[in-house]
Amino acid sequence: MYRFLLTPRWWGINVFVLLAVPFCVFMGSWQLSRFEGRVQDHRTASERAASGRDDAARPLERMLPVDKSTSGRRVTASGRYGEQLLVPGRELDGKRGFYVLTLLRTGSDKALPVVRGWLPGTADAAKAPAPPAGEVTVTGALQASETPGDNGVGAGGGLPAGQTGAISAASLVNLVPYRLYDAWVTLDRADSGMTAVPAVAPSGTGLDLKAFQNLGYTGEWFVFAGFVVFMWFRLLRREVEFQRDAALGLVPQEPGRTPVASG
């Protein structure tokens, strides 16, 4: 009855199933591990952000370059404020507004972008308080350079002079006459008249669309594995039924050829 399983056609089907099912299970498990990794990164980043507010601030140079372990940590830097820019289209507590970004010229001959605070409404240089004069020491959360698409950051093309769409060395290099750190800081306490901007988790550590795409792909791969097994059993059942019908003479059979189920 089951001799047809030894035919070349069924050898091909069986080999395909034996390869496809483990591959689908492997890919589903891999996507699930990616999702679990993002969940763990999100949990770690949240815990670090919560505990980081109470950590002692460390010198900026000791915390560079910015990575998942240093992003959100409190740092301190000294220097003199220079150029000031506005970062439009930023939301805080559900309200639309803009960041006030001022470049801190440090003793290392580099400038550190510092978000001194957030103001509601349309970006307007007249609304932004002037930075303190003279030598200052700032303390705040270290942040990685932004890229368009992260945390609501837009491409920022066609902005008026004195504005930037993203806070990054790549975006600022043509706007200010300084060498720049590939990082920025948001102050613990905003300067007078502004609201402090909370630190954000580094890119790739949040439960964003990519994380749930991994979860969706996990389900798809496991469904594919189940579908392959289901189709194998369905073909097997049809073949067995066909063989029985042929043995009873209900289906014409060509001499020397194993019956093949149609459809």
Side-chain angles (χ1 to χ4, degrees):
M1 179 66 71
Y2 292 96
R3 290 182 180 179
F4 62 85
L5 291 173
L6 301 178
T7 62
R9 174 174 178 266
W10 272 94
W11 266 107
I13 292 175
N14 293 334
V15 169
F16 172 78
V17 171
L18 290 174
L19 293 177
V21 171
F23 176 76
C24 291
V25 172
F26 168 78
M27 290 300 296
S29 300
W30 179 71
Q31 289 289 349
L32 181 59
S33 69
R34 292 290 302 274
F35 173 75
E36 291 175 341
R38 289 180 182 274
V39 171
Q40 183 59 45
D41 286 345
H42 175 71
R43 184 180 296 113
T44 301
S46 299
E47 292 173 352
R48 183 180 297 121
S51 63
R53 290 190 290 268
D54 300 323
D55 290 345
R58 300 182 181 182
L60 172 68
E61 298 290 348
R62 296 183 184 178
M63 303 298 284
L64 296 175
V66 187
D67 55 25
K68 291 182 180 181
S69 65
T70 60
S71 180
R73 296 291 189 182
R74 295 178 72 240
V75 297
T76 182
S78 299
R80 293 176 178 268
Y81 279 125
E83 296 282 336
Q84 182 159 287
L85 301 168
L86 306 181
V87 188
R90 298 306 178 98
E91 291 188 359
L92 188 62
D93 296 331
K95 297 180 181 179
R96 195 80 165 172
F98 60 96
Y99 294 167
V100 177
L101 176 71
T102 311
L103 281 297
L104 181 72
R105 302 179 64 181
T106 66
S108 64
D109 196 32
K110 284 186 178 181
L112 174 68
V114 176
V115 173
R116 295 170 48 231
W118 174 90
L119 290 171
T122 304
D124 185 351
K127 298 179 182 178
E135 187 80 9
V136 297
T137 298
V138 300
T139 302
L142 183 65
Q143 300 281 264
S145 289
E146 297 178 331
T147 55
D150 290 342
N151 301 311
V153 179
L159 292 174
Q163 297 186 19
T164 180
I167 308 173
S168 69
S171 298
L172 298 173
V173 67
N174 295 320
L175 301 178
V176 296
Y178 316 126
R179 293 176 58 222
L180 298 164
Y181 287 100
D182 189 16
W184 57 283
V185 167
T186 175
L187 295 182
D188 289 345
R189 296 182 180 179
D191 284 345
S192 178
M194 295 186 287
T195 303
V197 175
V200 298
S203 177
T205 61
L207 294 180
D208 53 9
L209 178 60
K210 291 182 180 179
F212 289 102
Q213 282 179 338
N214 291 135
L215 188 60
Y217 294 150
T218 298
E220 288 181 1
W221 282 113
F222 287 138
V223 168
F224 290 157
F227 180 74
V228 170
V229 174
F230 167 77
M231 289 302 299
W232 185 85
F233 276 109
R234 187 181 182 197
L235 289 174
L236 179 67
R237 187 182 66 181
R238 284 191 175 186
E239 193 77 23
V240 169
E241 292 174 352
F242 187 82
Q243 293 285 346
R244 288 173 179 171
D245 290 345
L248 295 173
L250 301 177
V251 178
Q253 179 177 348
E254 295 181 17
R257 182 176 178 181
T258 301
V260 178
S262 59

